[in-house]
Amino acid sequence: MKRKQIFNLLSTATVSLLLAVSVRLTGPSAVVAQSSNNLTISAAGSLKDALEEIKTLYQQTQPNINITYNFGASGALTKEIEKGKQSDIFISTSKKQVDGLEEKGLIVPKTRSILANNRLVLIVPKDNSVGIRSFYTLANSKVKKIAIGDPKSVPAGQYAQDVFKKLGILDKVKPKFVYEKNAKQVLASVENGNADAGLGYSTDAKSSDKVKVAVATEGKYYSPIIYPLAILKTSQNVEAAKGFVKFLSSDPAKSVLKKYGFIVK
């Protein structure tokens, strides 16, 4: 009897010791895993400067959340998501792309919102040597190249085509189009002198000292330029994603967006 009791005591002690060791070994790593989150945000390239600054502000209050941005044209990003590329949040420059992902069941229900609005402007090099004063002067023989986003994948390009259609000059200016992969490249093309003019976002124009706005368009010529966002079903950190989305609507984030020329409510 005594031997059995001793054996049982030893067995209990061994199990307790093993459990204690297990806790010591796994406890800290479990805490680290819970307190460290990675978020990947696929966002339109025109948001790059603003979102980078917002990231810095956010991580001052949430240092354990690591944010990685994947910037690009909204259409190209949509295709990546449809093909299964992991991302937590998608921010587009057009409602169309988010609608498409929602129809395919790729976004978390009831997580859609609008981050900001933008405006389309006709930009020219600082010296404006060709003398562009209006959209109609783009049909002038002196104007050789007009940079716009590729309408097949770049919402800014789709908006640009809408403007030219409304003005009734699309057929006259279309042969001069230089199609760019995103709105930022439209700006770069005008900055570098590779195009006599470009139609892009006012926020991009504001960021450059090499171009100026020749014409600020009116909203009646194109659909409202909005930046819709949504949390994706590929997200592995939905709660952290919701936290970042909430921060995007905070006063500090709004101040940054306004600084870069975005229109926010």
Side-chain angles (χ1 to χ4, degrees), residues 83-98:
K83 290 179 180 179
K85 184 169 182 176
Q86 195 281 321
S87 194
D88 298 280
I89 300 168
F90 176 49
I91 311 176
S92 175
T93 48
S94 173
K95 181 174 175 289
K96 177 183 176 182
Q97 279 74 29
V98 180

Side-chain angles (χ1 to χ4, degrees), residues 114-120 202-203 222 225-227 254 257-265:
I114 295 174
L115 176 65
N117 290 62
N118 211 336
R119 192 179 188 187
L120 211 63
S202 63
T203 49
Y222 51 85
I225 300 175
I226 62 173
Y227 288 76
K254 285 182 178 180
L257 289 166
K258 288 178 181 178
K259 185 178 83 171
Y260 285 94
F262 291 97
I263 303 166
V264 296
K265 295 180 179 180

Side-chain angles (χ1 to χ4, degrees), residues 121-125 128 130 132 134-135 137-138 143-148 164 176-178 180 186-187 189-191 193-200 212 214:
V121 294
L122 179 65
I123 57 174
V124 296
N128 192 17
V130 181
I132 297 170
S134 73
F135 280 102
T137 58
L138 295 176
V143 179
K144 305 298 182 183
K145 294 180 180 180
I146 304 166
I148 71 168
F164 292 123
K176 304 179 182 185
F177 286 168
V178 176
E180 302 293 356
V186 171
L187 174 66
S189 186
V190 179
E191 285 180 327
N194 294 328
D196 301 304
L199 200 53
K212 65 180 180 179

Side-chain angles (χ1 to χ4, degrees), residues 54-251:
I54 288 173
K55 171 183 174 179
T56 300
L57 291 176
Y58 184 66
Q59 292 190 320
Q60 287 175 0
T61 59
Q62 301 292 335
N64 291 323
I65 296 180
N66 303 309
I67 294 176
T68 301
Y69 288 124
N70 175 31
F71 292 110
S74 296
L77 294 175
T78 301
K79 289 180 180 178
E80 289 179 356
I81 293 166
E82 289 174 343
K83 290 179 180 179
K85 184 169 182 176
Q86 195 281 321
S87 194
D88 298 280
I89 300 168
F90 176 49
I91 311 176
S92 175
T93 48
S94 173
K95 181 174 175 289
K96 177 183 176 182
Q97 279 74 29
V98 180
D99 284 348
L101 293 178
E102 185 171 32
E103 289 171 5
K104 294 180 180 180
L106 297 176
I107 71 172
V108 177
K110 298 180 180 180
T111 61
R112 291 185 61 162
S113 61
I114 295 174
L115 176 65
N117 290 62
N118 211 336
R119 192 179 188 187
L120 211 63
V121 294
L122 179 65
I123 57 174
V124 296
K126 204 75 172 180
D127 60 6
N128 192 17
S129 59
V130 181
I132 297 170
R133 298 285 182 268
S134 73
F135 280 102
Y136 295 103
T137 58
L138 295 176
N140 192 303
S141 60
K142 291 183 179 180
V143 179
K144 305 298 182 183
K145 294 180 180 180
I146 304 166
I148 71 168
D150 187 343
K152 295 178 182 178
S153 60
V154 185
Q158 296 163 7
Y159 295 129
Q161 277 201 340
D162 289 344
V163 172
F164 292 123
K165 283 180 183 178
K166 287 278 187 179
L167 294 172
I169 59 173
L170 180 59
D171 291 339
K172 293 180 181 179
V173 298
K174 192 171 183 178
K176 304 179 182 185
F177 286 168
V178 176
Y179 297 110
E180 302 293 356
K181 293 181 179 180
N182 55 59
K184 287 288 187 185
Q185 287 189 7
V186 171
L187 174 66
S189 186
V190 179
E191 285 180 327
N192 299 331
N194 294 328
D196 301 304
L199 200 53
Y201 296 127
S202 63
T203 49
D204 290 331
K206 187 175 181 178
S207 70
S208 174
D209 59 0
K210 296 179 181 179
V211 305
K212 65 180 180 179
V213 175
V215 183
T217 62
E218 297 180 35
K220 65 182 180 181
Y221 292 118
Y222 51 85
S223 302
I225 300 175
I226 62 173
Y227 288 76
L229 63 81
I231 296 174
L232 300 167
K233 283 192 175 178
T234 54
S235 176
Q236 298 174 2
N237 300 289
V238 173
E239 290 307 312
K242 286 181 178 179
F244 184 70
V245 169
K246 185 177 180 180
F247 183 78
L248 289 174
S249 64
S250 68
D251 288 339

